[in-house]
Amino acid sequence: PANPLTGSEAEVSNLSLHDNNGDVTVRQLELFLAGSVSSVDLSNFQLSQGSTVVAVGTAVEHGFIVLRFPTPLVVTNGSSVALSLSAYVTGSSGRTIRTYLEYPTDIVTTDPFFGSPAAVCISSMATGGCDVTGQGSFDGSASNYVEVTTR
């Protein structure tokens, strides 16, 4: 995303969800907020798929942007869903807003066929998916987070 202007609503992050093993419904998503921005300088979060808002969050909770889906988002087998996160940005310019998924448990999913939680892999390096011992976690590399600077 472009660097957001303070005093406005702007895209602050984006992500893609990929499904490679049966349909999955997403009920909640938690993005860790890092960078130099103050958590009180971001509010009114909206996660959109295209022009449709699919999840909302009001404020940062314990360092996380918690986005709840009023209607679960369905990601079908073999498909990808591109999502964009916007927020109202206040505060001063020159602050960084960094967001990322820290752990697989930061995405609450359900396998609608079995009615149980679905396995989540957040490793960008896991070609073909994760295994039982490696579901991924944030490793600090630039390929695993999104960062913008307020202006």
Side-chain angles (χ1 to χ4, degrees):
N3 290 332
L5 184 63
T6 59
S8 68
E9 183 176 316
E11 182 182 23
V12 295
S13 189
N14 55 45
L15 67 145
S16 293
L17 303 177
H18 308 281
D19 184 350
N20 64 356
N21 192 21
D23 296 351
V24 172
T25 58
V26 181
R27 300 180 181 283
Q28 183 170 297
L29 178 69
E30 297 178 5
L31 290 172
F32 189 77
L33 177 64
S36 60
V37 71
S38 172
S39 62
V40 297
D41 291 341
L42 301 173
S43 62
N44 299 326
F45 297 97
Q46 293 187 336
L47 189 67
S48 299
Q49 179 183 8
S51 61
T52 304
V53 175
V54 294
V56 294
T58 55
V60 177
E61 300 175 24
H62 307 289
F64 288 89
I65 301 167
V66 179
L67 300 156
R68 294 176 177 87
F69 294 74
T71 301
L73 175 68
V74 177
V75 184
T76 57
N77 185 24
S79 70
S80 296
V81 175
L83 300 169
S84 172
L85 178 66
S86 65
Y88 190 78
V89 182
T90 60
S92 59
S93 62
R95 292 184 180 185
T96 57
I97 302 169
R98 180 180 292 182
T99 56
Y100 56 87
L101 289 166
E102 189 171 24
Y103 299 108
T105 53
D106 295 340
I107 304 177
V108 178
T109 60
T110 303
D111 178 324
F113 183 77
F114 293 105
S116 61
V120 173
C121 173
I122 65 168
S123 174
S124 67
M125 305 307 289
T127 304
C130 295
D131 58 28
V132 174
T133 60
Q135 297 298 311
S137 63
F138 180 67
D139 65 6
S141 69
S143 65
N144 290 328
Y145 66 80
V146 175
E147 182 174 286
V148 293
T149 303
T150 58
R151 54 185 175 92

